[in-house]
Amino acid sequence: MAGRPEGGATERGLRRFCLAFFVAALAFLATPASAAKVDDQFRAWLQDDLWPQAKAQGISKNIFDAAFQGIKPNLKLPDLVMPGEKPKMPQKQHQAEFGSPGAYFAEKTIGAVTAGGRARETANAKTIAAIEKRYGVPGEILLAIWGRETGFGAAKMPYDAFEVLGTKAFMSTKKDFFRTELLAALEIVERGLAPVGAMKSSWAGALGQPQFMPTSFLKHAVDFDGDGRVDIWNSTPDVLASIANYLVHYGWVKGRGWGFEVTVPETVSCSLEGPDQGKKISQWAALGIKRVGGKPFPASELNAEGFLLMPAGRSGPAFIATPNFYVLKEYNTSDLYALFIGHGADRIAHGDSNFSGGWGPVGDLHRSDIAALQRTLEAKGYDVGSADGLPGFKTRRSIGKWQAKNGQAATCFPDAGLVTALK
């Protein structure tokens, strides 16, 4: 039968239990204390650092206090640096751009945007026609952005903008950027454009259905329904017109679309890609580039400038983009985002039709892999834009130039073999 433990064993076990309990108690007490310390530092920062600048910019004390009443730093937000600590080294990242870019165009996602866009195009036909007349931006483009950003307003805005922007201005890796946005958010309330309680945002501090940062709200949000207030949270006319106004501000060219899917013969180098290597569309056509499906380029476009766009190099569809494509990139700097909006708008206007070109089995790399490749190319004298781990057009065409120089077929897109070859 099991006997009772000897006294020494009992005492050792009791000491271990007490020690474990003490450590656990310290851990339990440390977390709230640490959080409380951050809260205290945040309140001091608000009053001693942010308030003097806000006051100098015309923010009243009543508005300032109302905006931050009950607000504490949200330590669950990404990209934060605890006070007194240094930023941590980024972990390896694996994103859609590094697998097949085709994943970005999953039918479930783009199908929802196009079907929802068509339904809302019909329901809001009069409003959209009025916005098109005033701003010159096709309604389908506005609908595609609306659908992509917030699912036509279905996505909830669960965060308090002052909590998000305050936290990030106080302790994020981009304090200056978010400080500017925080002060702009205070200005929105100070000017009576929205009450404090309406300032609901995404986890990044973007406001309303168009997902405007506060500075963009101040520059571009408009009252299109004529009710005397700008409401990008609830008013469809204000939402769509504000998006149009944003695009016009960044140079949307009335009467032109975003671009055309094309076939690019092997005789045309993929390293000719980029917004700084434009040609007349007639010149691209003279090189053998053709629209897919045998359609000719519109006569009105032949003397206008276009740009080669190959977001997956030779392993994906190719396009001749217009300047409006790069206006879409002002909304989101990703090539794939702008392409999604253009493609979604085409599908809203003309019906479901996927790209003719397929997305090849490219990528499966981490962002750190791309950054290492970029640094190597930079050391060899190539312009990759920056070694940020994102394969933008400068990186893609630099890859193509290096491949051609080293007797390889130019693919203009990173792969595991290329990363190994350039180590």
Side-chain angles (χ1 to χ4, degrees):
M1 66 184 295
R4 183 178 174 182
E6 295 182 1
T10 302
E11 291 172 1
R12 287 194 299 273
L14 182 59
R15 285 198 298 270
R16 285 197 297 268
F17 174 78
C18 290
L19 179 61
F21 180 84
F22 180 68
V23 171
L26 283 179
F28 177 80
L29 292 172
T31 299
S34 177
K37 183 178 180 181
V38 172
D39 290 348
D40 290 343
Q41 291 173 317
F42 178 69
R43 301 310 302 186
W45 171 80
L46 285 176
Q47 296 305 320
D48 300 338
D49 188 338
L50 187 67
W51 164 240
Q53 184 177 1
K55 181 181 180 181
Q57 293 183 200
I59 306 301
S60 67
K61 193 67 165 68
N62 287 341
I63 292 296
F64 188 88
D65 290 343
F68 295 106
Q69 183 176 4
I71 295 295
K72 296 181 179 181
N74 185 340
L75 303 184
K76 296 181 180 179
L77 295 173
D79 302 321
L80 302 183
V81 181
M82 295 296 285
E85 295 184 2
K86 294 181 179 180
K88 295 179 180 178
M89 292 295 291
Q91 299 294 312
K92 279 196 170 186
Q93 299 182 45
H94 192 266
Q95 302 176 2
E97 285 84 352
F98 314 133
S100 172
Y104 200 90
F105 302 90
E107 186 59 32
K108 181 179 180 181
T109 304
I110 199 162
V113 168
T114 53
R118 284 192 213 105
R120 286 160 181 81
E121 188 173 41
T122 301
N124 299 281
K126 186 175 180 180
T127 295
I128 291 172
I131 292 172
E132 288 180 331
K133 183 177 181 180
R134 180 178 298 185
Y135 296 100
V137 181
E140 293 84 7
I141 291 287
L142 308 178
L143 290 162
I145 291 175
W146 186 24
R148 177 71 191 183
E149 290 297 326
T150 56
F152 308 102
K156 303 302 180 185
M157 294 293 110
Y159 293 93
D160 183 302
F162 292 106
E163 175 188 84
V164 171
L165 296 171
T167 300
K168 287 180 170 286
F170 174 58
M171 57 188 300
S172 82
T173 56
K174 297 195 295 182
K175 290 181 181 181
D176 291 344
F177 171 83
F178 285 105
R179 186 186 184 97
T180 298
E181 296 298 340
L182 178 57
L183 291 165
L186 288 166
E187 184 179 345
I188 289 171
V189 178
E190 183 68 40
R191 288 169 54 181
L193 300 174
V196 168
M199 295 289 283
K200 300 300 182 182
S201 76
S202 71
W203 62 267
L207 305 173
Q209 296 185 38
Q211 287 291 273
F212 281 176
M213 295 303 291
T215 52
S216 290
F217 181 104
L218 290 171
K219 292 175 184 175
H220 310 302
V222 295
D223 170 24
F224 199 78
D225 61 14
D227 68 353
R229 56 191 292 263
V230 178
D231 187 358
I232 62 171
W233 290 269
N234 303 293
S235 168
T236 295
D238 290 5
V239 167
L240 293 174
S242 296
I243 296 171
N245 192 41
Y246 183 102
L247 297 177
V248 168
H249 174 88
Y250 283 104
W252 185 272
V253 181
K254 184 178 181 179
R256 298 195 75 183
W258 68 272
F260 311 91
E261 187 181 358
V262 298
T263 57
V264 180
E266 293 294 332
T267 53
V268 176
S269 173
C270 53
S271 64
L272 292 176
E273 183 184 5
D276 54 351
Q277 298 192 104
K279 301 178 185 293
K280 289 183 178 180
I281 290 181
S282 60
Q283 293 175 311
W284 290 117
L287 293 174
I289 292 178
K290 299 178 181 179
R291 286 186 71 184
V292 299
K295 299 177 183 178
F297 291 106
S300 60
E301 289 283 338
L302 291 176
N303 287 322
E305 191 173 33
F307 313 92
L308 183 62
L309 171 69
M310 301 181 74
R314 287 285 178 183
S315 296
F319 308 88
I320 293 296
T322 75
N324 286 338
F325 176 86
Y326 296 98
V327 174
L328 293 177
K329 287 191 66 175
E330 294 290 344
Y331 215 99
N332 181 311
T333 58
S334 165
D335 284 338
L336 297 185
Y337 175 90
L339 187 56
F340 182 101
I341 299 304
H343 183 50
D346 286 349
R347 287 179 53 156
I348 292 170
H350 306 300
D352 292 334
S353 179
N354 291 324
F355 296 124
S356 294
W359 301 95
V362 295
D364 198 25
L365 296 172
H366 296 292
R367 184 165 173 173
S368 53
D369 295 323
I370 308 294
L373 182 150
Q374 290 169 321
R375 287 192 292 270
T376 302
L377 286 171
E378 278 186 328
K380 295 179 180 294
Y382 293 90
D383 178 12
V384 298
S386 64
D388 58 3
L390 299 171
F393 75 90
K394 288 186 176 181
T395 295
R396 296 195 294 264
R397 70 189 186 192
S398 291
I399 288 171
K401 291 176 181 178
W402 181 88
Q403 289 170 322
K405 184 177 179 180
N406 288 273
Q408 300 181 14
T411 65
C412 295
F413 204 77
D415 58 46
L418 186 65
V419 170
T420 300
L422 280 167
K423 278 187 177 179

